[in-house]
Amino acid sequence: MKLNRIIIVSAASLLLSSQAFASGFMIPEQGAKAMGMGNAFGAIADDASANWFNPAGLSFQDNNAAVSGTVVYPLNDFEAGGQSYSAKKGLHVIPQVYVRYGEGNSKLSYGLGINSPFGLSVNWTGSGAPFTQLAAAGKAVTFSEIQAIHINPNIAYQVNDHFSVAAGVSYYNAFKVHLNSDLLRIGGSGDGFGGNIAFLYKTSAWSVGGSYRTSVKIDITGTAVGGPDAAVLGLDGIGANASTAVTFPDIQSLSVAYAGIPKVVLSAQLDRVNWSKFDKIEINYAPSALNALTGPTSTIPEGWKATVAVRLGAEWAYTDDTRARVGYTYDPTPTNPTDFSPRLPGNDRQLITLGYGRDFSDNLTMDLAYAYVWLKDRTATAPTDPAYYGIFKSTVHLLSGGVTYKY
């Protein structure tokens, strides 16, 4: 009975895991043009994707709408005891929609961003990895998923020809949270509100921008249902209400761009993500027969730490209507050796990005970008739990495309 309870508690902690390519479970790649420059875009912010990267940039644009999508192909492998095991492969599509609107010479500009900056999944089901087996007891890891949408209205005020400030409201809806195992199936959803502020200072050659996004607490409610392995205890199909809460971290960004070289723009950005807010997961179960396995409450330590990502980008307008871009990112992992698990098998990551932009008319622009992400191999040893001892390897390919229309 005690062993089964440990397995249930560990499984429930998978509610917030993500693909290894993500920074923690954050997805910084939220626009094709920005991705081509390593996401060092906060001091540029010259299309409607500024709603995410720096809403103060809305003040220095014409009315426009931008639609983009990023296709992600992650590869996660685990090696132990002379054997190699692979997580399930699959494509993940991350959409983004942004709009900017302002009237005439008004100092006010309005924007709306709809994107998915947190989420995705990891699936070791069927891999045969030792940590997926019952022998791993409470440390067993198989499959988890979260899909969340972010809706972010913004308003920007242009103080003068060079300086703008902005503020917005963030609404997150984690509309699909699933965990399925042979012992327990968990499903739920939840939402939460936050806010953001930003500034941008621009001259003919230099731009400096900064932004802050508050942390957002997501209250998740749903059900836990006994799976087929619970049949021996007569709990197969027995359900109970379950709830938990997680906090999406606050984000601080500082960026600079230089356009003093003809046809060239250079940019740099620092992003501090306060992952220390993700220190544990507490799960509460309503009274039911399933409590024989789950107990009324469980706590899973995470112990993440705040990180600072470094982003660099460059753009070259080699014709009047065509641009080439390149970028680089170093993004450290927030996890620690003690609480590490295959839920998030990644390590410090680096990105090399390439981008392309083409104006088809004064109103219509297309942007494309590709990123190759490689993560430092993670050799799991003490103090990591022995169930995870081995080498985790991950690489990721990302392809993004989008169009911007000025109206």
Side-chain angles (χ1 to χ4, degrees):
M1 184 72 69
K2 182 178 180 181
L3 174 61
N4 285 339
R5 177 177 294 185
I6 292 173
I7 295 172
I8 291 280
V9 169
S10 178
S13 72
L14 299 179
L15 282 170
L16 256 294
S17 62
S18 71
Q19 286 290 353
F21 84 89
S23 172
F25 52 86
M26 177 182 168
I27 310 160
E29 292 73 30
Q30 294 297 318
K33 182 175 182 178
M35 192 175 106
M37 302 182 71
N39 298 303
F41 199 63
I44 299 173
D46 58 357
D47 63 20
S49 69
N51 279 284
W52 172 254
F53 292 99
N54 185 342
L58 297 171
S59 293
F60 302 102
Q61 305 175 22
D62 296 326
N63 291 338
N64 73 98
V67 179
S68 58
T70 304
V71 178
V72 184
Y73 184 61
L75 301 170
N76 298 320
D77 298 297
F78 173 70
E79 296 178 359
Q83 300 292 320
S84 181
Y85 310 90
S86 297
K88 286 191 175 181
K89 301 175 177 65
L91 298 176
H92 302 268
V93 180
I94 307 167
Q96 303 99 24
V97 178
Y98 305 105
V99 178
R100 185 271 186 195
Y101 176 76
E103 294 186 359
N105 295 321
S106 173
K107 290 183 175 293
L108 293 176
S109 302
Y110 308 91
L112 177 66
I114 303 174
N115 59 359
S116 299
F118 294 96
L120 294 186
S121 67
V122 65
N123 191 353
W124 293 101
T125 303
S127 68
F131 52 76
T132 66
Q133 310 301 312
L134 284 177
K139 299 298 182 179
V141 172
T142 52
F143 169 74
S144 61
E145 176 186 48
I146 182 170
Q147 295 186 30
I149 188 171
H150 173 229
I151 301 174
N152 182 204
N154 291 284
I155 183 169
Y157 177 73
Q158 186 171 355
V159 179
N160 55 44
D161 291 344
H162 301 286
F163 187 65
S164 175
V165 295
V169 175
S170 283
Y171 170 71
Y172 287 93
N173 188 322
F175 62 90
K176 189 176 183 182
V177 179
H178 280 162
L179 170 66
N180 296 323
S181 72
D182 290 339
L183 193 61
L184 187 70
R185 300 187 180 109
I186 296 176
S189 60
D191 59 6
F193 285 90
N196 57 279
I197 56 175
F199 76 89
L200 183 61
Y201 178 79
K202 293 176 68 73
T203 69
S204 59
W206 289 94
S207 299
V208 178
S211 65
Y212 173 74
R213 292 186 174 273
T214 67
S215 60
V216 178
K217 182 182 179 183
I218 307 293
D219 292 313
I220 298 173
T221 59
T223 58
V225 180
D229 280 358
V232 66
L233 298 173
L235 296 176
D236 183 14
I238 300 300
N241 292 331
S243 64
T244 187
V246 296
T247 301
F248 291 174
D250 49 299
I251 307 167
Q252 304 163 48
S253 296
L254 182 63
S255 50
V256 60
Y258 179 67
I261 303 172
K263 300 184 177 182
V264 173
V265 178
L266 304 175
S267 61
Q269 183 166 319
L270 297 177
D271 290 339
R272 183 183 186 274
V273 184
N274 189 18
W275 288 114
S276 62
K277 295 289 182 72
F278 189 61
D279 60 339
K280 62 183 177 180
I281 302 174
E282 293 184 350
I283 305 110
N284 300 302
Y285 302 93
S288 75
L290 202 61
N291 290 158
L293 294 178
T294 64
T297 304
S298 60
T299 300
I300 299 93
E302 295 293 344
W304 288 17
K305 62 183 180 181
T307 61
V308 177
V310 179
R311 310 185 189 280
L312 303 172
E315 179 185 78
W316 173 40
Y318 59 91
T319 72
D320 290 341
D321 59 8
T322 311
R323 292 163 293 280
R325 304 180 182 111
V326 65
Y328 169 80
T329 294
Y330 172 73
D331 198 355
T333 180
T335 61
N336 69 77
T338 301
D339 300 313
F340 168 81
S341 91
R343 295 192 302 270
L344 190 72
N347 203 349
D348 299 344
R349 73 174 197 159
Q350 298 183 71
L351 286 77
I352 293 292
T353 68
L354 299 173
Y356 172 82
R358 174 69 185 275
D359 298 329
F360 292 106
S361 69
D362 291 339
N363 302 97
L364 183 64
T365 298
M366 176 188 71
D367 293 296
L368 300 173
Y370 167 78
Y372 176 74
V373 187
W374 73 95
L375 293 91
K376 182 180 178 181
D377 291 351
R378 183 152 200 161
T379 301
T381 58
T384 300
D385 190 275
Y388 309 145
Y389 284 4
I391 301 174
F392 292 86
K393 298 183 177 183
S394 301
T395 57
V396 190
H397 302 274
L398 299 94
L399 182 65
S400 183
V403 294
T404 300
Y405 179 75
K406 296 179 180 178
Y407 61 93

